[in-house]
Amino acid sequence: FREHAAKERAERIKAEQSELQRRKDAKRVRLAKEAQQKAYAGALAAKAQKAAIARQEADAQERKKLQEVTWGMGEDAVELPDENLSEEAKKLFGSDS
């Protein structure tokens, strides 16, 4: 009887140890996976931030370029009426010549 009880106890301890080892392995795998996902998300966030900075710089340059352009408001941009236009065309353009 004692041999049988000792054998059962040893089997139970062995089963508990294998279960504990399985849980430890599962936890290690889960933590590694979470760390990998966190690193990947961090890399994506850094890439997105660099892209946003580049986009902001491009927008700033575009705004600066647009501010330099005169949209027909300067003296150099005044259109002189074309003398070769017909009377109908002059009426359509609204020139009073």
Side-chain angles (χ1 to χ4, degrees), residues 34-94:
E34 287 176 0
Q36 183 180 12
Q37 287 176 345
K38 191 174 184 178
Y40 183 68
L44 285 179
K47 186 177 179 181
Q49 188 175 15
K50 286 180 183 179
I53 290 171
R55 188 173 49 248
Q56 286 175 350
E57 289 174 357
D59 289 346
Q61 289 176 355
E62 184 68 24
R63 253 186 268 111
K64 183 178 177 183
K65 184 178 178 182
L66 287 175
Q67 289 173 356
E68 291 176 0
V69 174
T70 58
W71 294 93
M73 301 302 257
E75 294 174 10
D76 297 338
V78 174
E79 283 188 30
L80 298 175
D82 192 359
E83 299 299 327
N84 298 334
L85 290 177
S86 68
E87 291 300 320
E88 290 180 31
K90 287 182 182 179
K91 287 180 185 177
L92 288 174
F93 286 126

